[in-house]
Short mmCIF file of all heavy atoms in Angstrom, two decimals:
data_model
loop_
_atom_site.label_atom_id
_atom_site.label_comp_id
_atom_site.label_asym_id
_atom_site.label_seq_id
_atom_site.Cartn_x
_atom_site.Cartn_y
_atom_site.Cartn_z
N MET A 1 61.90 -4.04 -10.35
CA MET A 1 61.25 -5.32 -10.41
C MET A 1 60.63 -5.49 -11.79
O MET A 1 59.97 -4.60 -12.31
CB MET A 1 60.17 -5.38 -9.34
CG MET A 1 59.41 -6.67 -9.33
SD MET A 1 58.35 -6.73 -7.91
CE MET A 1 57.23 -7.92 -8.47
N PHE A 2 60.87 -6.61 -12.39
CA PHE A 2 60.31 -6.91 -13.70
C PHE A 2 59.09 -7.82 -13.56
O PHE A 2 59.09 -8.72 -12.74
CB PHE A 2 61.33 -7.60 -14.59
CG PHE A 2 62.50 -6.72 -14.93
CD1 PHE A 2 63.73 -6.89 -14.31
CD2 PHE A 2 62.36 -5.70 -15.86
CE1 PHE A 2 64.79 -6.09 -14.61
CE2 PHE A 2 63.43 -4.89 -16.17
CZ PHE A 2 64.64 -5.08 -15.54
N THR A 3 58.10 -7.55 -14.35
CA THR A 3 56.93 -8.41 -14.37
C THR A 3 56.81 -9.04 -15.75
O THR A 3 57.48 -8.65 -16.68
CB THR A 3 55.66 -7.60 -14.05
OG1 THR A 3 55.49 -6.62 -15.07
CG2 THR A 3 55.76 -6.89 -12.71
N SER A 4 55.91 -9.98 -15.86
CA SER A 4 55.71 -10.61 -17.17
C SER A 4 55.21 -9.58 -18.17
O SER A 4 55.47 -9.68 -19.36
CB SER A 4 54.74 -11.78 -17.06
OG SER A 4 53.47 -11.33 -16.67
N TYR A 5 54.48 -8.57 -17.69
CA TYR A 5 53.96 -7.54 -18.59
C TYR A 5 55.09 -6.72 -19.22
O TYR A 5 55.07 -6.39 -20.38
CB TYR A 5 52.97 -6.63 -17.89
CG TYR A 5 52.35 -5.65 -18.83
CD1 TYR A 5 51.35 -6.05 -19.71
CD2 TYR A 5 52.78 -4.33 -18.87
CE1 TYR A 5 50.78 -5.16 -20.60
CE2 TYR A 5 52.21 -3.44 -19.76
CZ TYR A 5 51.22 -3.86 -20.62
OH TYR A 5 50.66 -2.98 -21.51
N SER A 6 56.13 -6.42 -18.42
CA SER A 6 57.23 -5.61 -18.94
C SER A 6 58.07 -6.38 -19.96
O SER A 6 58.81 -5.79 -20.71
CB SER A 6 58.12 -5.11 -17.80
OG SER A 6 58.76 -6.21 -17.17
N TRP A 7 57.94 -7.69 -19.99
CA TRP A 7 58.68 -8.49 -20.96
C TRP A 7 57.81 -8.98 -22.11
O TRP A 7 58.11 -9.94 -22.76
CB TRP A 7 59.33 -9.69 -20.26
CG TRP A 7 60.48 -9.29 -19.41
CD1 TRP A 7 60.48 -9.09 -18.07
CD2 TRP A 7 61.79 -9.01 -19.86
NE1 TRP A 7 61.71 -8.71 -17.65
CE2 TRP A 7 62.55 -8.65 -18.72
CE3 TRP A 7 62.43 -9.02 -21.08
CZ2 TRP A 7 63.89 -8.30 -18.79
CZ3 TRP A 7 63.78 -8.68 -21.14
CH2 TRP A 7 64.48 -8.33 -20.02
N GLY A 8 56.69 -8.31 -22.37
CA GLY A 8 55.88 -8.70 -23.52
C GLY A 8 54.42 -8.88 -23.23
O GLY A 8 53.65 -9.10 -24.13
N GLY A 9 54.04 -8.75 -21.99
CA GLY A 9 52.62 -8.83 -21.67
C GLY A 9 52.08 -10.26 -21.64
O GLY A 9 52.83 -11.24 -21.60
N LEU A 10 50.79 -10.33 -21.66
CA LEU A 10 50.12 -11.62 -21.60
C LEU A 10 50.01 -12.24 -22.97
O LEU A 10 49.75 -11.56 -23.96
CB LEU A 10 48.73 -11.43 -21.00
CG LEU A 10 48.69 -10.75 -19.63
CD1 LEU A 10 47.26 -10.47 -19.21
CD2 LEU A 10 49.40 -11.62 -18.59
N LYS A 11 50.18 -13.53 -23.04
CA LYS A 11 50.17 -14.21 -24.35
C LYS A 11 48.85 -14.05 -25.09
O LYS A 11 48.83 -14.03 -26.31
CB LYS A 11 50.52 -15.69 -24.16
CG LYS A 11 51.96 -15.89 -23.76
CD LYS A 11 52.41 -17.28 -24.11
CE LYS A 11 53.83 -17.49 -23.69
NZ LYS A 11 54.81 -16.97 -24.60
N GLU A 12 47.75 -13.89 -24.35
CA GLU A 12 46.47 -13.73 -25.05
C GLU A 12 46.35 -12.36 -25.73
O GLU A 12 45.47 -12.16 -26.55
CB GLU A 12 45.29 -13.97 -24.10
CG GLU A 12 45.26 -13.06 -22.90
CD GLU A 12 45.90 -13.70 -21.67
OE1 GLU A 12 46.57 -14.74 -21.78
OE2 GLU A 12 45.72 -13.12 -20.59
N ASN A 13 47.24 -11.44 -25.41
CA ASN A 13 47.22 -10.13 -26.05
C ASN A 13 48.20 -10.02 -27.22
O ASN A 13 48.32 -8.97 -27.83
CB ASN A 13 47.56 -9.03 -25.03
CG ASN A 13 46.49 -8.90 -23.97
OD1 ASN A 13 45.32 -9.19 -24.22
ND2 ASN A 13 46.88 -8.47 -22.78
N TYR A 14 48.92 -11.09 -27.52
CA TYR A 14 49.86 -11.07 -28.64
C TYR A 14 49.08 -11.01 -29.95
O TYR A 14 47.98 -11.53 -30.05
CB TYR A 14 50.72 -12.33 -28.65
CG TYR A 14 51.80 -12.37 -27.58
CD1 TYR A 14 51.92 -11.39 -26.62
CD2 TYR A 14 52.71 -13.42 -27.56
CE1 TYR A 14 52.90 -11.45 -25.66
CE2 TYR A 14 53.70 -13.49 -26.60
CZ TYR A 14 53.79 -12.50 -25.66
OH TYR A 14 54.76 -12.55 -24.72
N LEU A 15 49.67 -10.41 -30.96
CA LEU A 15 49.05 -10.32 -32.28
C LEU A 15 49.42 -11.58 -33.08
O LEU A 15 50.59 -11.83 -33.34
CB LEU A 15 49.54 -9.07 -33.01
CG LEU A 15 48.92 -8.76 -34.34
CD1 LEU A 15 47.41 -8.53 -34.20
CD2 LEU A 15 49.55 -7.54 -34.96
N PHE A 16 48.43 -12.36 -33.44
CA PHE A 16 48.63 -13.63 -34.14
C PHE A 16 49.60 -14.55 -33.39
O PHE A 16 50.32 -15.33 -34.00
CB PHE A 16 49.13 -13.42 -35.57
CG PHE A 16 48.23 -12.56 -36.39
CD1 PHE A 16 48.65 -11.33 -36.86
CD2 PHE A 16 46.93 -12.99 -36.70
CE1 PHE A 16 47.82 -10.54 -37.62
CE2 PHE A 16 46.10 -12.20 -37.46
CZ PHE A 16 46.52 -10.98 -37.93
N GLY A 17 49.63 -14.44 -32.07
CA GLY A 17 50.51 -15.27 -31.27
C GLY A 17 51.96 -14.85 -31.29
O GLY A 17 52.82 -15.57 -30.81
N ILE A 18 52.25 -13.66 -31.83
CA ILE A 18 53.64 -13.18 -31.94
C ILE A 18 53.85 -12.10 -30.88
O ILE A 18 53.05 -11.17 -30.75
CB ILE A 18 53.91 -12.60 -33.34
CG1 ILE A 18 53.62 -13.67 -34.41
CG2 ILE A 18 55.35 -12.11 -33.45
CD1 ILE A 18 53.67 -13.14 -35.82
N ASP A 19 54.93 -12.21 -30.12
CA ASP A 19 55.19 -11.24 -29.06
C ASP A 19 55.57 -9.87 -29.66
O ASP A 19 55.85 -9.77 -30.84
CB ASP A 19 56.28 -11.75 -28.11
CG ASP A 19 57.66 -11.77 -28.73
OD1 ASP A 19 57.75 -11.92 -29.95
OD2 ASP A 19 58.64 -11.66 -27.97
N PRO A 20 55.54 -8.79 -28.86
CA PRO A 20 55.80 -7.45 -29.37
C PRO A 20 57.15 -7.29 -30.07
O PRO A 20 57.27 -6.57 -31.06
CB PRO A 20 55.73 -6.57 -28.12
CG PRO A 20 54.83 -7.31 -27.21
CD PRO A 20 55.11 -8.76 -27.46
N THR A 21 58.18 -7.96 -29.58
CA THR A 21 59.47 -7.87 -30.24
C THR A 21 59.42 -8.45 -31.64
O THR A 21 59.97 -7.89 -32.59
CB THR A 21 60.54 -8.60 -29.40
OG1 THR A 21 60.54 -8.08 -28.08
CG2 THR A 21 61.92 -8.43 -30.02
N GLY A 22 58.76 -9.56 -31.78
CA GLY A 22 58.62 -10.19 -33.08
C GLY A 22 57.82 -9.33 -34.04
O GLY A 22 58.15 -9.22 -35.22
N ILE A 23 56.74 -8.72 -33.54
CA ILE A 23 55.93 -7.84 -34.39
C ILE A 23 56.76 -6.63 -34.84
O ILE A 23 56.68 -6.19 -35.98
CB ILE A 23 54.64 -7.38 -33.64
CG1 ILE A 23 53.68 -8.56 -33.51
CG2 ILE A 23 53.98 -6.22 -34.34
CD1 ILE A 23 53.14 -9.07 -34.81
N GLY A 24 57.58 -6.10 -33.93
CA GLY A 24 58.45 -4.96 -34.30
C GLY A 24 59.43 -5.36 -35.40
O GLY A 24 59.70 -4.59 -36.32
N THR A 25 59.97 -6.56 -35.31
CA THR A 25 60.88 -7.04 -36.34
C THR A 25 60.17 -7.21 -37.68
O THR A 25 60.68 -6.78 -38.72
CB THR A 25 61.50 -8.40 -35.91
OG1 THR A 25 62.14 -8.21 -34.66
CG2 THR A 25 62.47 -8.90 -36.92
N ILE A 26 58.98 -7.79 -37.64
CA ILE A 26 58.21 -7.95 -38.88
C ILE A 26 57.85 -6.58 -39.46
O ILE A 26 57.95 -6.36 -40.67
CB ILE A 26 56.94 -8.79 -38.60
CG1 ILE A 26 57.34 -10.23 -38.27
CG2 ILE A 26 55.98 -8.75 -39.78
CD1 ILE A 26 56.22 -11.08 -37.75
N GLY A 27 57.45 -5.64 -38.59
CA GLY A 27 57.13 -4.29 -39.07
C GLY A 27 58.33 -3.60 -39.71
O GLY A 27 58.18 -2.91 -40.73
N THR A 28 59.50 -3.77 -39.14
CA THR A 28 60.70 -3.18 -39.70
C THR A 28 61.00 -3.74 -41.08
O THR A 28 61.33 -3.01 -42.02
CB THR A 28 61.90 -3.40 -38.77
OG1 THR A 28 61.61 -2.81 -37.50
CG2 THR A 28 63.17 -2.82 -39.32
N ILE A 29 60.88 -5.05 -41.23
CA ILE A 29 61.14 -5.68 -42.52
C ILE A 29 60.12 -5.22 -43.56
O ILE A 29 60.48 -4.90 -44.69
CB ILE A 29 61.14 -7.21 -42.36
CG1 ILE A 29 62.34 -7.66 -41.52
CG2 ILE A 29 61.13 -7.91 -43.71
CD1 ILE A 29 62.29 -9.08 -41.07
N LEU A 30 58.83 -5.18 -43.16
CA LEU A 30 57.80 -4.71 -44.10
C LEU A 30 58.04 -3.26 -44.50
O LEU A 30 57.87 -2.89 -45.66
CB LEU A 30 56.41 -4.85 -43.47
CG LEU A 30 55.88 -6.27 -43.36
CD1 LEU A 30 54.57 -6.29 -42.61
CD2 LEU A 30 55.73 -6.89 -44.73
N HIS A 31 58.44 -2.42 -43.55
CA HIS A 31 58.73 -1.02 -43.86
C HIS A 31 59.86 -0.91 -44.87
O HIS A 31 59.81 -0.12 -45.82
CB HIS A 31 59.10 -0.26 -42.59
CG HIS A 31 59.52 1.13 -42.85
ND1 HIS A 31 60.83 1.50 -42.93
CD2 HIS A 31 58.80 2.25 -43.08
CE1 HIS A 31 60.92 2.78 -43.19
NE2 HIS A 31 59.70 3.26 -43.29
N LEU A 32 60.91 -1.68 -44.71
CA LEU A 32 62.03 -1.66 -45.64
C LEU A 32 61.59 -2.08 -47.03
O LEU A 32 61.95 -1.43 -48.03
CB LEU A 32 63.15 -2.59 -45.13
CG LEU A 32 64.37 -2.71 -46.03
CD1 LEU A 32 65.07 -1.38 -46.18
CD2 LEU A 32 65.31 -3.76 -45.49
N ILE A 33 60.78 -3.14 -47.11
CA ILE A 33 60.31 -3.59 -48.42
C ILE A 33 59.45 -2.54 -49.10
O ILE A 33 59.64 -2.23 -50.28
CB ILE A 33 59.53 -4.93 -48.26
CG1 ILE A 33 60.49 -6.05 -47.85
CG2 ILE A 33 58.78 -5.29 -49.53
CD1 ILE A 33 59.81 -7.32 -47.40
N VAL A 34 58.52 -1.93 -48.36
CA VAL A 34 57.66 -0.90 -48.93
C VAL A 34 58.47 0.31 -49.37
O VAL A 34 58.27 0.87 -50.45
CB VAL A 34 56.57 -0.48 -47.93
CG1 VAL A 34 55.82 0.76 -48.39
CG2 VAL A 34 55.59 -1.63 -47.72
N ALA A 35 59.45 0.73 -48.57
CA ALA A 35 60.29 1.87 -48.92
C ALA A 35 61.08 1.61 -50.19
O ALA A 35 61.20 2.48 -51.05
CB ALA A 35 61.24 2.21 -47.77
N LEU A 36 61.60 0.39 -50.35
CA LEU A 36 62.34 0.06 -51.56
C LEU A 36 61.43 0.04 -52.79
O LEU A 36 61.80 0.55 -53.85
CB LEU A 36 63.04 -1.29 -51.40
CG LEU A 36 64.23 -1.32 -50.44
CD1 LEU A 36 64.70 -2.74 -50.21
CD2 LEU A 36 65.35 -0.46 -50.98
N ILE A 37 60.22 -0.52 -52.64
CA ILE A 37 59.30 -0.56 -53.77
C ILE A 37 58.89 0.85 -54.18
O ILE A 37 58.90 1.19 -55.37
CB ILE A 37 58.06 -1.41 -53.40
CG1 ILE A 37 58.45 -2.89 -53.30
CG2 ILE A 37 56.94 -1.21 -54.43
CD1 ILE A 37 57.36 -3.78 -52.74
N VAL A 38 58.55 1.69 -53.21
CA VAL A 38 58.13 3.06 -53.53
C VAL A 38 59.28 3.85 -54.16
O VAL A 38 59.09 4.59 -55.12
CB VAL A 38 57.60 3.77 -52.26
CG1 VAL A 38 57.42 5.25 -52.50
CG2 VAL A 38 56.30 3.15 -51.82
N SER A 39 60.49 3.66 -53.64
CA SER A 39 61.62 4.40 -54.21
C SER A 39 61.92 3.97 -55.65
O SER A 39 62.39 4.77 -56.46
CB SER A 39 62.87 4.24 -53.34
OG SER A 39 63.37 2.93 -53.41
N ARG A 40 61.65 2.71 -55.97
CA ARG A 40 61.86 2.23 -57.35
C ARG A 40 60.76 2.69 -58.29
O ARG A 40 60.98 2.83 -59.49
CB ARG A 40 61.93 0.70 -57.37
CG ARG A 40 63.05 0.11 -56.55
CD ARG A 40 64.35 0.25 -57.26
NE ARG A 40 65.38 -0.43 -56.49
CZ ARG A 40 66.59 0.04 -56.31
NH1 ARG A 40 66.92 1.18 -56.84
NH2 ARG A 40 67.46 -0.61 -55.62
N MET A 41 59.55 2.89 -57.78
CA MET A 41 58.42 3.24 -58.62
C MET A 41 58.27 4.76 -58.87
O MET A 41 57.55 5.15 -59.77
CB MET A 41 57.11 2.70 -57.98
CG MET A 41 57.05 1.20 -57.98
SD MET A 41 55.57 0.58 -57.16
CE MET A 41 54.31 1.20 -58.23
N THR A 42 58.91 5.56 -58.05
CA THR A 42 58.77 7.01 -58.20
C THR A 42 60.00 7.57 -58.93
O THR A 42 61.10 7.06 -58.78
CB THR A 42 58.62 7.70 -56.85
OG1 THR A 42 59.73 7.35 -56.03
CG2 THR A 42 57.35 7.29 -56.15
N PRO A 43 59.78 8.64 -59.72
CA PRO A 43 60.92 9.22 -60.44
C PRO A 43 61.84 9.96 -59.47
O PRO A 43 61.42 10.37 -58.39
CB PRO A 43 60.25 10.19 -61.42
CG PRO A 43 58.96 10.55 -60.77
CD PRO A 43 58.53 9.32 -60.02
N PRO A 44 63.10 10.14 -59.85
CA PRO A 44 64.02 10.90 -59.00
C PRO A 44 63.57 12.36 -58.93
O PRO A 44 62.90 12.86 -59.84
CB PRO A 44 65.37 10.76 -59.68
CG PRO A 44 65.08 10.33 -61.08
CD PRO A 44 63.75 9.64 -61.06
N PRO A 45 63.93 13.07 -57.89
CA PRO A 45 63.56 14.48 -57.79
C PRO A 45 64.24 15.29 -58.88
O PRO A 45 65.30 14.90 -59.40
CB PRO A 45 64.02 14.89 -56.39
CG PRO A 45 65.02 13.87 -56.00
CD PRO A 45 64.70 12.63 -56.73
N PRO A 46 63.66 16.44 -59.22
CA PRO A 46 64.28 17.29 -60.24
C PRO A 46 65.70 17.70 -59.84
O PRO A 46 66.05 17.72 -58.65
CB PRO A 46 63.37 18.52 -60.31
CG PRO A 46 62.10 18.09 -59.68
CD PRO A 46 62.42 17.01 -58.72
N THR A 47 66.52 18.02 -60.83
CA THR A 47 67.91 18.39 -60.60
C THR A 47 68.04 19.57 -59.64
O THR A 47 68.90 19.58 -58.76
CB THR A 47 68.60 18.73 -61.94
OG1 THR A 47 68.43 17.62 -62.82
CG2 THR A 47 70.08 18.97 -61.74
N GLU A 48 67.15 20.57 -59.78
CA GLU A 48 67.26 21.75 -58.89
C GLU A 48 67.00 21.38 -57.44
O GLU A 48 67.60 21.96 -56.53
CB GLU A 48 66.34 22.88 -59.34
CG GLU A 48 64.87 22.53 -59.36
CD GLU A 48 64.37 22.02 -60.69
OE1 GLU A 48 65.17 21.72 -61.59
OE2 GLU A 48 63.15 21.89 -60.82
N ILE A 49 66.16 20.40 -57.20
CA ILE A 49 65.91 19.94 -55.83
C ILE A 49 67.12 19.18 -55.30
O ILE A 49 67.53 19.37 -54.14
CB ILE A 49 64.65 19.07 -55.76
CG1 ILE A 49 63.41 19.84 -56.19
CG2 ILE A 49 64.46 18.51 -54.36
CD1 ILE A 49 63.10 21.06 -55.35
N GLN A 50 67.72 18.36 -56.12
CA GLN A 50 68.92 17.64 -55.69
C GLN A 50 70.04 18.62 -55.36
O GLN A 50 70.77 18.45 -54.38
CB GLN A 50 69.36 16.67 -56.77
CG GLN A 50 68.41 15.53 -56.99
CD GLN A 50 68.83 14.59 -58.09
OE1 GLN A 50 69.97 14.62 -58.56
NE2 GLN A 50 67.91 13.74 -58.53
N GLU A 51 70.20 19.67 -56.18
CA GLU A 51 71.22 20.68 -55.91
C GLU A 51 70.91 21.45 -54.62
O GLU A 51 71.81 21.78 -53.84
CB GLU A 51 71.33 21.63 -57.09
CG GLU A 51 71.92 20.98 -58.33
CD GLU A 51 71.80 21.86 -59.57
OE1 GLU A 51 71.24 22.97 -59.49
OE2 GLU A 51 72.27 21.40 -60.63
N LEU A 52 69.64 21.76 -54.39
CA LEU A 52 69.23 22.44 -53.17
C LEU A 52 69.62 21.62 -51.95
O LEU A 52 70.17 22.14 -50.97
CB LEU A 52 67.72 22.70 -53.18
CG LEU A 52 67.11 23.24 -51.89
CD1 LEU A 52 67.57 24.67 -51.65
CD2 LEU A 52 65.61 23.18 -51.96
N VAL A 53 69.35 20.33 -51.99
CA VAL A 53 69.67 19.45 -50.87
C VAL A 53 71.20 19.43 -50.64
O VAL A 53 71.65 19.50 -49.50
CB VAL A 53 69.13 18.03 -51.11
CG1 VAL A 53 69.68 17.04 -50.09
CG2 VAL A 53 67.61 18.03 -51.09
N GLU A 54 71.97 19.38 -51.70
CA GLU A 54 73.43 19.39 -51.55
C GLU A 54 73.90 20.70 -50.94
O GLU A 54 74.82 20.71 -50.12
CB GLU A 54 74.09 19.14 -52.90
CG GLU A 54 73.98 17.72 -53.39
CD GLU A 54 74.57 16.70 -52.43
OE1 GLU A 54 75.66 16.96 -51.86
OE2 GLU A 54 73.94 15.65 -52.24
N ARG A 55 73.30 21.82 -51.32
CA ARG A 55 73.71 23.11 -50.76
C ARG A 55 73.34 23.20 -49.28
O ARG A 55 74.06 23.81 -48.49
CB ARG A 55 73.04 24.26 -51.52
CG ARG A 55 73.66 24.53 -52.87
CD ARG A 55 73.25 25.90 -53.41
NE ARG A 55 71.82 26.14 -53.40
CZ ARG A 55 70.98 25.85 -54.39
NH1 ARG A 55 71.43 25.30 -55.49
NH2 ARG A 55 69.70 26.12 -54.29
N ILE A 56 72.22 22.62 -48.90
CA ILE A 56 71.81 22.67 -47.50
C ILE A 56 72.71 21.80 -46.63
O ILE A 56 72.98 22.14 -45.48
CB ILE A 56 70.33 22.22 -47.37
CG1 ILE A 56 69.43 23.26 -47.99
CG2 ILE A 56 69.94 21.97 -45.94
CD1 ILE A 56 67.98 22.85 -48.09
N ARG A 57 73.21 20.72 -47.17
CA ARG A 57 74.05 19.80 -46.38
C ARG A 57 75.32 20.47 -45.89
O ARG A 57 75.80 20.19 -44.80
CB ARG A 57 74.42 18.57 -47.22
CG ARG A 57 73.30 17.62 -47.37
CD ARG A 57 73.74 16.38 -48.09
NE ARG A 57 72.62 15.48 -48.29
CZ ARG A 57 72.64 14.45 -49.09
NH1 ARG A 57 73.73 14.16 -49.76
NH2 ARG A 57 71.58 13.69 -49.21
N ILE A 58 75.89 21.34 -46.71
CA ILE A 58 77.12 22.06 -46.32
C ILE A 58 76.78 23.54 -46.27
O ILE A 58 76.62 24.18 -47.32
CB ILE A 58 78.25 21.78 -47.31
CG1 ILE A 58 78.52 20.29 -47.39
CG2 ILE A 58 79.51 22.54 -46.89
CD1 ILE A 58 79.51 19.88 -48.45
N PRO A 59 76.65 24.13 -45.08
CA PRO A 59 76.27 25.52 -44.96
C PRO A 59 77.31 26.45 -45.62
O PRO A 59 78.51 26.15 -45.65
CB PRO A 59 76.24 25.78 -43.45
CG PRO A 59 76.18 24.43 -42.84
CD PRO A 59 76.82 23.49 -43.78
N SER A 60 76.81 27.55 -46.18
CA SER A 60 77.73 28.50 -46.81
C SER A 60 78.66 29.08 -45.75
O SER A 60 78.27 29.35 -44.62
CB SER A 60 76.96 29.61 -47.51
OG SER A 60 76.18 30.32 -46.58
N GLY A 61 79.90 29.27 -46.12
CA GLY A 61 80.89 29.81 -45.20
C GLY A 61 81.53 28.77 -44.31
O GLY A 61 82.43 29.08 -43.54
N ALA A 62 81.08 27.55 -44.40
CA ALA A 62 81.67 26.50 -43.58
C ALA A 62 83.00 26.10 -44.19
O ALA A 62 83.13 25.86 -45.38
CB ALA A 62 80.75 25.28 -43.52
N GLY A 63 84.00 26.04 -43.36
CA GLY A 63 85.30 25.64 -43.82
C GLY A 63 85.45 24.13 -43.74
O GLY A 63 84.48 23.39 -43.59
N GLU A 64 86.68 23.70 -43.87
CA GLU A 64 86.95 22.27 -43.75
C GLU A 64 86.66 21.80 -42.33
O GLU A 64 86.73 22.55 -41.37
CB GLU A 64 88.45 22.00 -44.05
CG GLU A 64 88.82 22.22 -45.50
CD GLU A 64 88.20 21.20 -46.42
OE1 GLU A 64 88.17 20.02 -46.05
OE2 GLU A 64 87.75 21.59 -47.51
N ALA A 65 86.32 20.54 -42.22
CA ALA A 65 86.06 19.96 -40.90
C ALA A 65 87.37 19.94 -40.10
O ALA A 65 88.43 19.65 -40.64
CB ALA A 65 85.51 18.56 -41.04
N LEU A 66 87.26 20.28 -38.83
CA LEU A 66 88.43 20.30 -37.97
C LEU A 66 88.46 19.05 -37.11
O LEU A 66 87.44 18.48 -36.77
CB LEU A 66 88.40 21.53 -37.06
CG LEU A 66 88.37 22.88 -37.78
CD1 LEU A 66 88.22 24.00 -36.76
CD2 LEU A 66 89.60 23.08 -38.62
N ASP A 67 89.68 18.66 -36.75
CA ASP A 67 89.84 17.49 -35.88
C ASP A 67 89.47 17.90 -34.46
O ASP A 67 89.74 19.01 -34.03
CB ASP A 67 91.28 17.00 -35.96
CG ASP A 67 91.44 15.64 -35.36
OD1 ASP A 67 90.47 14.87 -35.36
OD2 ASP A 67 92.57 15.33 -34.90
N HIS A 68 88.88 16.99 -33.70
CA HIS A 68 88.48 17.29 -32.32
C HIS A 68 89.65 17.26 -31.41
O HIS A 68 90.40 16.46 -31.24
CB HIS A 68 87.42 16.30 -31.83
CG HIS A 68 86.11 16.52 -32.54
ND1 HIS A 68 85.24 17.52 -32.21
CD2 HIS A 68 85.54 15.88 -33.56
CE1 HIS A 68 84.20 17.48 -32.98
NE2 HIS A 68 84.35 16.48 -33.83
#
């Protein structure tokens, strides 16, 4: 059984009159914008860190990927 609460609750509890789905969408967009700004403002990681990440991605001794 669905109630009005399970579909977003009471309108008087909405944030600035926006339902929870709308707030989640706005939050996702804001997060993307902040992540892009921070990534542009910070320097890239040192080369040794980038190499470390590449080595971790493919474990040593791992062969070619096999078909399922």
Side-chain angles (χ1 to χ4, degrees):
M1 179 172 160
F2 295 104
T3 62
S4 64
Y5 184 76
S6 65
W7 287 99
L10 304 173
K11 291 202 181 278
E12 58 265 12
N13 294 331
Y14 286 5
L15 185 61
F16 302 116
I18 303 172
D19 71 332
T21 305
I23 289 295
T25 303
I26 292 170
T28 300
I29 293 168
L30 287 175
H31 175 262
L32 178 63
I33 292 168
V34 169
L36 289 172
I37 290 171
V38 169
S39 69
R40 299 283 185 221
M41 293 177 64
T42 56
T47 305
E48 60 268 10
I49 299 299
Q50 292 178 15
E51 291 170 358
L52 172 69
V53 170
E54 287 301 319
R55 285 196 310 270
I56 291 173
R57 285 185 182 166
I58 302 174
S60 61
E64 291 292 319
L66 301 175
D67 194 27
H68 291 281

